[in-house]
């Protein structure tokens, strides 16, 4: 047993075995991070469900029903018969101008913050392309009297007050729901008067007070679509198919402007049926909370094996250089302390900023390991040495987390330097003639 105790290759095997064993709780830590992130998502969904979910404004567009006659085989009578089928033709506006203001606020569900908002949108534009000649449909089959102007809105409970439409100086009230489901499945509609004997320019204006959460998007349905949004929120993310042509972000908030042409998207100004999924062209603003603690915690956890290997390597070289003996159980306890670091980091980051959480968890973990090292080796010098080495390693990981775009570069250079240091200090060790502990 004494020979086995001082056998260096046996100790290396034990260390490798411990590292592999400790990867199991490490993976459990990653699962815990995912679980806590799911809890946060559920909290956000719960608040959004009651207040109003993320909103996408699609429209306005005019839908006009018409009759189409098709030949169909009647199996019962074994004859071909002519059947009348109801179809829809859709027309998009010539010009669309949207100006809006977003007023966000924070709500809380337990320890989690959720961003909700109230918005005031003024929408105006015009239609001058209501023409069926290109579709080769007879006027007698077109129901101009049932033409409707539709707005797609994701969550109708976000509408705060009655929405009215000014259509060529005529006031019209909107109804709940869309006249058909071919373009959007949720929204509002209003019957609008159209002339069927000539092409007329129709101007419209409406205002929508809309509540929502997380984001506000728009779909560019105009031949020319101009969207101007302002808010006092200072951490927006402009996402979707198009980025703003102009944007200004400061501590006081942001302003943004999009100007999109029909040539920039992949659907026309008029069509029949459900040929196009126009919501895929939406764009807008995410109201982000400056909180990414779960993503950062997960990234730190990905380096767990690196920290385990480097920490155990440090203790192993201390054994060799200082002629001391560290029991495998003591290695195991140090490894468990390293794993507890991640749970400390995760729990702290849910209540305070991530960087401060990392510093606090690091100080607590390194202090525990250093004091334990002093106790088992009876050497303050070795304890301070372990503390210093581990502090450098944790600072290295912290730097990688902060420099996300350069993480691979910094990580590769750091590993190269660490490998060089290990090779330097181990260059004179005779691995075939070395025993652990005091001779």
């Amino acid at each position: 047993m004494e020979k086995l105790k001082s056998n260096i290759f046996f100790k290396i095997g034990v260390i490798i075995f411990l590292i592999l064993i400790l990867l199991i709780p490490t993976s459990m830590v990653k699962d815990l991070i995912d679980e806590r992130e799911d809890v946060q998502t559920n909290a956000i969904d719960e608040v959004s469900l009651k207040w109003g979910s993320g909103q996408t404004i699609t429209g306005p567009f005019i839908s006009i029903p018409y009759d189409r006659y098709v030949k169909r085989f009647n199996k019962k009578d074994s004859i071909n018969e002519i059947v009348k089928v109801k179809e829809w033709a859709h027309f998009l506006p010539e010009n669309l101008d949207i100006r809006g203001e977003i007023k966000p606020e924070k709500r809380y569900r337990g320890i989690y913050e959720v961003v909700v908002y109230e918005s005031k949108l003024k929408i105006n534009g015009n239609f001058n392309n209501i023409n069926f000649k290109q579709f080769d449909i007879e006027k007698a089959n077109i129901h101009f009297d049932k033409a409707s102007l539709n707005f797609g809105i994701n969550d109708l409970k976000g509408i705060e007050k009655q929405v009215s439409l000014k259509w060529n100086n005529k006031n019209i009230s909107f109804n709940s729901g869309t006249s058909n489901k071919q373009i959007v499945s949720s929204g509002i509609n209003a019957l609008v008067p159209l002339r069927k004997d000539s092409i007329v320019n129709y101007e419209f204006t409406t205002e929508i007070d809309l509540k929502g959460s997380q984001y506000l998007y728009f779909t560019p349905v105009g031949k020319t679509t101009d969207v101007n949004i302002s808010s006092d929120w200072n951490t927006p993310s402009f996402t979707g198919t198009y980025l703003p042509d102009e944007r200004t972000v400061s501590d006081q908030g942001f302003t943004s402007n999009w100007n999109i042409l029909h040539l920039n998207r992949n659907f026309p100004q008029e069509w029949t049926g459900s040929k196009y999924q126009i919501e895929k062209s939406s764009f807008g603003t995410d109201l982000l909370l400056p909180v990414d603690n779960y993503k950062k915690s997960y990234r730190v956890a990905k380096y767990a094996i690196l920290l385990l290997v480097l920490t155990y390597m440090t203790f192993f070289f201390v054994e060799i250089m200082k002629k001391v003996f560290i029991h495998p159980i003591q290695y195991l306890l140090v490894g468990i302390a390293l794993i507890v670091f991640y749970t400390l980091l995760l729990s702290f980051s849910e209540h305070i900023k991530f960087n401060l959480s990392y510093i606090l968890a690091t100080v607590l973990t390194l202090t525990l390991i250093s004091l334990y090292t002093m106790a088992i080796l009876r050497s303050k010098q070795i304890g301070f040495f372990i503390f210093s080495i581990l502090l450098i390693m944790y600072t290295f990981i912290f730097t990688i987390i902060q420099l996300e775009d350069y993480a691979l570069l910094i990580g590769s250079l750091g590993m190269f330097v660490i490998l060089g240091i290990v090779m330097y200090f181990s260059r004179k060790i005779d691995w075939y003639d070395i025993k652990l502990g005091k001779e």
Side-chain angles (χ1 to χ4, degrees):
M1 181 61 71
E2 193 65 29
K3 290 183 178 180
L4 193 62
K5 173 182 174 181
S6 60
N7 189 296
I8 187 172
F9 298 106
F10 174 75
K11 176 56 71 72
I12 292 175
V14 169
I15 291 175
I16 294 174
F17 175 76
L18 289 175
I19 291 174
L20 295 176
I21 290 296
L22 289 170
L23 288 180
I24 297 174
T26 299
S27 65
M28 295 172 65
V29 168
K30 293 180 181 179
D31 292 338
L32 178 61
I33 295 173
D34 290 335
E35 180 184 335
R36 298 300 295 176
E37 190 170 20
D38 288 340
V39 172
Q40 181 191 47
T41 301
N42 292 335
I44 292 173
D45 292 341
E46 184 179 347
V47 174
S48 299
L49 184 64
K50 297 177 180 179
W51 176 270
S53 60
Q55 301 284 15
T56 299
I57 306 297
T58 303
F61 57 90
I62 291 177
S63 295
I64 305 174
Y66 66 93
D67 297 327
R68 184 167 64 92
Y69 295 89
V70 297
K71 185 182 293 186
R72 182 178 298 170
F73 181 73
N74 189 326
K75 294 182 178 180
K76 182 179 179 180
D77 300 327
S78 299
I79 60 172
N80 288 323
E81 58 183 7
I82 303 299
V83 179
K84 182 169 71 173
V85 179
K86 184 180 180 180
E87 298 284 0
W88 294 87
H90 309 289
F91 299 87
L92 305 185
E94 185 74 11
N95 297 291
L96 176 63
D97 184 84
I98 302 176
R99 298 185 181 274
E101 181 182 4
I102 303 175
K103 297 180 179 179
E105 60 178 290
K106 294 180 182 179
R107 294 293 177 93
Y108 294 87
R109 175 63 66 189
I111 63 173
Y112 301 106
E113 288 183 332
V114 183
V115 182
V116 299
Y117 64 81
E118 294 180 344
S119 64
K120 291 185 177 292
L121 305 174
K122 185 174 182 180
I123 305 172
N124 59 74
N126 68 289
F127 291 86
N128 61 9
N129 60 332
I130 312 301
N131 186 1
F132 276 82
K133 289 184 178 179
Q134 60 179 312
F135 299 135
D136 193 24
I137 301 172
E138 295 184 10
K139 281 189 177 181
N141 295 329
I142 304 171
H143 301 283
F144 284 99
D145 59 325
K146 296 181 181 179
S148 60
L149 183 124
N150 296 270
F151 272 97
I153 300 175
N154 283 11
D155 193 346
L156 294 181
K157 66 175 172 289
I159 300 176
E160 294 196 86
K161 62 182 182 181
Q162 178 63 40
V163 184
S164 61
L165 172 70
K166 191 172 185 180
W167 180 261
N168 274 2
N169 297 318
K170 182 179 180 179
N171 292 322
I172 304 172
S173 294
F174 275 96
N175 301 306
S176 178
T178 55
S179 59
N180 63 91
K181 307 294 184 182
Q182 293 185 344
I183 296 181
V184 292
S185 58
S186 174
I188 56 177
N189 77 92
L191 293 175
V192 292
L194 298 180
R195 294 182 59 178
K196 58 183 177 181
D197 54 347
S198 61
I199 299 177
V200 179
N201 183 60
Y202 301 98
E203 296 184 352
F204 64 89
T205 300
T206 188
E207 293 185 2
I208 303 177
D209 291 355
L210 190 64
K211 296 191 301 183
S213 58
Q214 303 298 308
Y215 65 85
L216 178 61
Y217 291 170
F218 305 91
T219 303
V221 297
K223 196 169 186 179
T224 300
T225 301
D226 193 69
V227 178
N228 288 274
I229 299 296
S230 62
S231 175
D232 58 3
W233 191 256
N234 57 13
T235 56
S237 175
F238 303 107
T239 57
T241 306
Y242 311 96
L243 293 177
D245 296 296
E246 298 178 2
R247 62 179 180 179
T248 302
V249 181
S250 66
D251 292 338
Q252 287 71 42
F254 74 88
T255 59
S256 55
N257 170 257
W258 291 263
N259 187 269
I260 301 167
L261 304 176
H262 71 292
L263 298 174
N264 303 136
R265 59 177 207 226
N266 197 29
F267 53 89
Q269 286 298 110
E270 54 275 321
W271 68 88
T272 60
S274 54
K275 299 177 181 178
Y276 302 98
Q277 303 293 323
I278 67 176
E279 279 191 339
K280 293 180 179 180
S281 297
S282 62
F283 62 92
T285 304
D286 286 338
L287 303 178
L288 293 180
L289 280 168
V291 177
D292 54 357
N293 55 303
Y294 293 116
K295 291 183 175 60
K296 285 188 175 181
S297 295
Y298 195 86
R299 290 183 61 206
V300 173
K302 289 170 64 177
Y303 293 99
I305 186 171
L306 176 62
L307 283 174
L308 282 170
V309 170
L310 294 180
T311 301
Y312 280 178
M313 187 180 295
T314 301
F315 276 89
F316 180 69
F317 273 94
V318 166
E319 284 193 81
I320 294 175
M321 306 298 289
K322 298 295 183 179
K323 299 295 182 180
V324 295
F325 179 78
I326 301 175
H327 195 275
I329 295 298
Q330 294 166 337
Y331 270 97
L332 179 62
L333 291 175
V334 170
I336 293 174
L338 294 175
I339 301 301
V340 171
F341 162 79
Y342 298 104
T343 60
L344 288 174
L345 174 61
L346 177 61
S347 57
F348 288 154
S349 65
E350 290 185 332
H351 301 276
I352 58 179
K353 292 183 178 180
F354 179 83
N355 290 353
L356 183 58
S357 301
Y358 189 96
I359 293 172
L360 184 57
T362 298
V363 171
L364 290 175
T365 302
L366 300 195
T367 301
L368 176 63
I369 293 176
S370 301
L371 292 176
Y372 182 65
T373 303
M374 292 180 188
I376 63 176
L377 298 182
R378 297 180 177 83
S379 172
K380 290 184 178 180
Q381 180 182 4
I382 295 178
F384 285 122
F385 174 76
I386 293 294
F387 185 91
S388 301
I389 295 298
L390 293 183
L391 182 61
I392 293 173
M393 291 192 295
Y394 275 83
T395 303
F396 171 60
I397 299 299
F398 182 76
T399 304
I400 293 177
I401 297 302
Q402 300 302 312
L403 302 175
E404 184 173 352
D405 294 336
Y406 299 96
L408 180 60
L409 176 62
I410 300 301
S412 300
L413 291 175
M415 290 303 299
F416 181 82
V417 172
I418 291 171
L419 179 61
I421 293 174
V422 172
M423 294 173 69
Y424 176 80
F425 281 103
S426 63
R427 69 191 188 283
K428 294 183 178 180
I429 296 177
D430 186 355
W431 297 98
Y432 289 103
D433 187 29
I434 187 170
K435 292 182 179 180
L436 298 175
K438 297 181 179 179
E439 296 180 353

